[in-house]
Amino acid sequence: MAPHPIKLSSPQRTAVARMRLAAQGLLPRIPVATMAAGASSPADVVSAMGMVQAQDLPQGCWAVGVRLPGSGLGDIHAALADGSVIRCWGARGTLMLIAPALHAALLSVTGPRMDSSMAATRAAEGITEAEIARLADVARERCSGAGATRAQLLAAFEQAGSSIAGQRGYHLIVAVSLRGVIVQGPMEPGSNTRQLFMATNQWIGRSEPAPDPEEALRLLAGTYIRSHGPTTAADCAWWLGMPLVPVRGALAAQQRQLPGRSLGGEVFHFAEEHSNRWASLHGARRILALPGFDEFLLGYKDRSAALAPEHAQAVTPGKNGIFLRTLVSSGHVVGTWAVEGSGRTLRARSTVFEPAHSSRTEAAIRHALQAYLEFMAS
């Protein structure tokens, strides 16, 4: 939770939360962000969202699936296999699903910040810029063609004379990825959790010069507001892992397209196309079973619009950075859920913060959980 949650009234919290549901493509028959029509592919969803948190890949796949009714896990894996969606370290040191077209812009804005934040760790591991540059060439060659598994990539680093002991191998992979040399693509054969590393110049193809960082920041900030608004500049800065001042500048440059409304002493930006949504939104009361780390909750520095402070501990037990899967109704987190078993024995169970008051609510929860089970089975 943010140290000082913005103090919104109850009606304001509900209005903000419901508009966020709509912007994120979580309401029936409302396209993601400002798309003219509903998403028809995982690439549509990811491109409109900008970034989708995917440090836990199966949950990242469901984050796309819940925004693409009728899709299955196989559809998300197919998008990773054909390169229409990639996974990389995008911001804040977190793995994200993104559209290939956004890769260069994202790294031009967030790469230097992430490099800087990792400087002390690299120094402690004895990782130098010269070593990173040398291994970038190794990774580019090893991940060309059919790609490489994590084990194969690390073996190539070791054969090139670099130690991969402890966490050093992981930090080397991240460092090379931030140079734009490799991205994560198709699933590793036989795995639902591991991906192959692919050479960016072959998998994405990039012949154009690196984008101007200021222009790229405006693109990223605008994409964020359109897919996450109403939200604040501080939320956007947190999402990107960037300082607040340049983010405010990027939003100010687009103030006509991204207007703001003052609530609780803060300015909440939203897409101009969504201005008429403040009054009401149909379908917002339905129950959603969202993954852990979902953008609806983790896409914001201040999460109080969706998650009441008294329920924060239930969603993040132990405050160790692990976010449980959530049940959402009317834009508010009303419970958590978990899965047990695997394959054909996979099942889901829920825990609501307040006991369900009607059989209709209980049925809605079962329906939401069943949608996840069907997604995983297809």
Side-chain angles (χ1 to χ4, degrees):
M1 296 292 293
H4 301 288
I6 299 172
K7 294 182 179 180
L8 302 178
S9 67
S10 181
Q12 288 173 336
R13 286 181 60 225
T14 297
V16 167
R18 287 185 174 184
M19 286 183 67
R20 288 176 178 177
L21 284 177
Q24 292 206 19
L26 291 169
L27 294 186
R29 297 177 296 281
I30 297 181
V32 184
T34 54
M35 292 181 62
S40 61
S41 70
D44 286 344
V45 173
V46 173
S47 180
M49 289 292 294
M51 295 189 290
V52 175
Q53 295 224 159
Q55 59 267 63
D56 183 311
L57 182 57
Q59 295 202 69
C61 290
W62 174 231
V64 177
V66 74
R67 292 167 170 84
L68 189 63
S71 64
L73 180 62
D75 296 313
I76 317 303
H77 286 179
L80 294 169
D82 67 23
S84 59
V85 174
I86 61 172
R87 186 171 175 235
C88 66
W89 281 273
R92 312 189 310 277
T94 300
L95 279 162
M96 302 281 192
L97 295 175
I98 70 168
L102 198 64
H103 184 247
L106 184 63
L107 289 187
S108 73
V109 172
T110 65
R113 292 282 298 182
M114 285 191 284
D115 270 336
S116 178
S117 69
M118 296 171 184
T121 298
R122 290 178 185 167
E125 294 284 0
I127 297 173
T128 65
E129 287 298 317
E131 182 180 22
I132 295 171
R134 176 170 54 82
L135 292 182
D137 291 334
V138 172
R140 186 180 293 106
E141 180 178 355
R142 182 63 187 84
C143 296
S144 295
T149 65
R150 183 178 187 275
Q152 290 169 338
L153 180 56
L154 288 175
F157 286 173
E158 195 168 37
Q159 290 168 9
S162 287
S163 170
I164 58 171
Q167 289 295 303
R168 198 173 193 275
Y170 164 80
H171 292 299
L172 289 172
I173 289 177
V174 174
V176 170
S177 297
L178 292 179
R179 298 302 183 275
V181 174
I182 55 175
V183 296
Q184 295 185 51
M187 300 305 299
E188 188 176 313
S191 175
N192 281 332
T193 59
R194 299 186 302 274
Q195 292 171 268
L196 296 174
F197 286 93
M198 312 299 292
T200 304
N201 60 347
Q202 285 189 355
W203 193 241
I204 295 179
R206 185 184 301 162
S207 57
E208 72 278 7
D212 172 71
E214 289 189 6
E215 181 180 344
L217 179 56
R218 289 194 293 272
L219 169 65
L220 293 169
T223 301
Y224 172 77
I225 298 300
R226 290 181 177 92
S227 60
H228 290 67
T231 186
T232 67
D235 287 325
C236 184
W238 180 87
W239 187 72
L240 287 169
M242 294 293 293
L244 183 56
V245 171
V247 170
R248 280 180 171 159
L251 295 178
Q254 306 172 79
Q255 59 183 335
R256 294 185 66 178
Q257 299 86 4
L258 309 172
R261 176 174 291 198
S262 181
L263 301 171
E266 296 287 342
V267 175
F268 282 74
H269 295 273
F270 52 93
E272 192 277 333
E273 295 92 328
H274 300 164
S275 297
N276 63 346
R277 293 181 176 177
W278 286 97
S280 65
L281 282 166
H282 297 293
R285 293 184 179 276
R286 72 170 183 153
I287 301 289
L288 290 164
L290 300 183
F293 308 105
D294 190 77
E295 285 293 317
F296 181 67
L297 192 59
L298 267 74
Y300 308 90
K301 179 180 181 181
D302 186 316
R303 298 162 189 148
S304 59
L307 181 61
E310 62 267 26
H311 300 316
Q313 181 66 23
V315 174
T316 59
K319 298 182 179 180
N320 57 1
I322 301 300
F323 284 71
L324 301 185
R325 300 170 175 88
T326 58
L327 295 172
V328 173
S329 177
S330 294
H332 304 307
V333 178
V334 297
T336 61
W337 61 286
V339 295
E340 300 169 341
S342 61
R344 294 184 178 180
T345 66
L346 187 67
R347 57 190 180 277
R349 55 179 175 79
S350 63
T351 302
V352 293
F353 300 147
E354 298 179 6
H357 296 293
S358 69
S359 58
R360 175 179 290 185
T361 300
E362 293 173 356
I365 292 174
R366 289 195 299 270
H367 178 76
L369 297 180
Q370 183 62 29
Y372 167 78
L373 296 176
E374 292 175 0
F375 170 86
M376 293 298 293
S378 61

